[in-house]
Amino acid sequence: MINVMLAAGTNLDPTTIWLMVVAAILTIVYAMVRPWMRGKRDPLTRSSPFSSLSQQRQIEAQMNNLLVELAEMARKITVQLDTRSAKLEELIRQADQRIEQMGHVPPVAAAAVPHMRLKIEPDHHTQQVYDLADQGRNVHEISKQLQRPQGEIELILALRKSS
């Protein structure tokens, strides 16, 4: 084929001829693939603007059904939210009543409950710190005598004051 063109008297170089052959092949491949690709598009874009009236009415009816279902679902969700809101308000009201009732508990009744105030008995080491502090010794002296860190002695004495 190339020799035929050259024999016909054209003065084309071989690169130009090859480019023309490749362009022709690509054009043929495109022409064959194009109809196949059209089938993959969205069905709504495939229909022509002159589609049948029955198809348009069918799509319209489907859309109306979807809108009705959506409205029904929204109504059900609203009812559920209203119900839950009412239950929550009732629970809040009951909690407020219980808080009021607890506010009216006499102080004597609160003191009668044994677990309301815990009394922790000091261990032997803590009792030694208390005894030395009661004798008027300072933290440094107690720390030196018991061979314990000053921070520990300070903490034990601080906890004694708060209880």
Side-chain angles (χ1 to χ4, degrees):
M1 180 172 163
I2 297 173
N3 289 338
V4 173
M5 288 183 163
L6 291 175
T10 59
N11 292 333
L12 298 175
D13 63 336
T15 307
T16 307
I17 293 172
W18 281 109
L19 287 174
M20 290 183 353
V21 169
V22 169
I25 291 172
L26 289 175
T27 304
I28 292 170
V29 170
Y30 175 73
M32 291 176 67
V33 172
R34 185 173 176 209
W36 179 69
M37 293 300 288
R38 281 188 176 182
K40 301 287 183 182
R41 290 190 183 164
D42 187 19
L44 293 177
T45 59
R46 225 181 344 158
S47 63
S48 68
F50 304 107
S51 63
S52 70
L53 186 59
S54 64
Q55 287 178 339
Q56 288 179 358
R57 293 196 189 256
Q58 186 180 15
I59 291 172
E60 185 178 337
Q62 289 174 351
M63 292 176 73
N64 283 335
N65 287 339
L66 288 174
L67 287 173
V68 168
E69 287 178 19
L70 182 63
E72 180 65 22
M73 191 183 324
R75 187 191 64 76
K76 286 180 181 178
I77 290 173
T78 303
V79 167
Q80 288 177 352
L81 286 174
D82 288 345
T83 303
R84 289 181 181 181
S85 174
K87 287 180 181 178
L88 184 60
E89 288 176 5
E90 177 62 22
L91 288 172
I92 290 172
R93 187 187 61 75
Q94 289 175 2
D96 288 341
Q97 286 177 349
R98 288 183 183 163
I99 289 172
E100 274 186 43
Q101 289 172 355
M102 291 185 78
H104 296 297
V105 174
V108 175
V113 180
H115 68 279
M116 294 294 279
R117 178 97 172 149
L118 295 176
K119 181 161 174 74
I120 300 173
E121 295 294 327
D123 63 352
H124 177 68
H125 175 70
T126 306
Q127 190 60 49
Q128 286 179 331
V129 173
Y130 291 164
D131 291 341
L132 292 172
D134 291 341
Q135 292 173 9
R137 307 244 175 118
N138 63 25
V139 174
H140 179 70
E141 293 171 346
I142 297 171
S143 170
K144 203 175 212 182
Q145 183 174 347
L146 296 178
Q147 297 178 349
R148 305 298 296 173
Q150 287 186 12
E152 181 181 341
I153 305 301
E154 290 173 352
L155 177 63
I156 291 172
L157 294 174
L159 291 174
R160 181 184 191 190
K161 291 176 186 174
S162 67
S163 59

